[in-house]
Amino acid sequence: MSSPAEGKPDVQLFDLLSTLLQEVEALSNQEEVELRAKIEALGLEVTKVPSHSTKHLDEMEIARELDNLSSKLDDVDEMISSTMAADPQVKSLLSSTADVWMPVITATSDERRNFSTSVAENRPAEKDK
């Protein structure tokens, strides 16, 4: 029988990323420490839930925050677009796995509360490497 966390979008995404990382390491015959750290950081990022702020933000502060988020999204969009344009395999991989990663990046804060607390918790054996 499968574990309750197994069907969660974040678990599916990080299982896929872990598998891809293992394939990259096997093909290159090198441990990808930096990539592994980035995946773990991403795991922490997707499980973040916005805190309920006790301070009331004024319109200017909200506008600044939205501008900051828009800028970050533009940067991510540019990275993805340029990588997809440069490498058809990346485009194919992203397209074929969209059903796994899209639910994670578009999750609401309520959905994020139901995500696993950490990628590292799902793979304790890999921490011993």
Side-chain angles (χ1 to χ4, degrees), residues 39-97:
I39 291 171
E40 288 178 4
L42 178 63
L44 294 174
E45 193 65 32
V46 300
T47 57
K48 281 185 183 175
V49 176
S51 62
H52 293 285
S53 179
T54 54
K55 102 176 184 184
H56 180 71
L57 298 176
D58 67 25
E59 286 184 38
M60 291 301 290
E61 290 170 315
I62 292 171
R64 275 193 296 273
E65 286 296 317
L66 288 174
D67 286 346
N68 186 25
L69 290 173
S70 286
S71 175
K72 286 181 180 182
L73 285 173
D74 288 344
D75 292 345
V76 169
D77 183 45
E78 174 58 32
M79 285 189 296
I80 291 171
S81 297
S82 63
T83 304
M84 285 176 59
D87 190 339
Q89 287 182 317
V90 171
K91 182 176 184 176
S92 175
L93 178 64
L94 287 174
S95 296
S96 67
T97 59

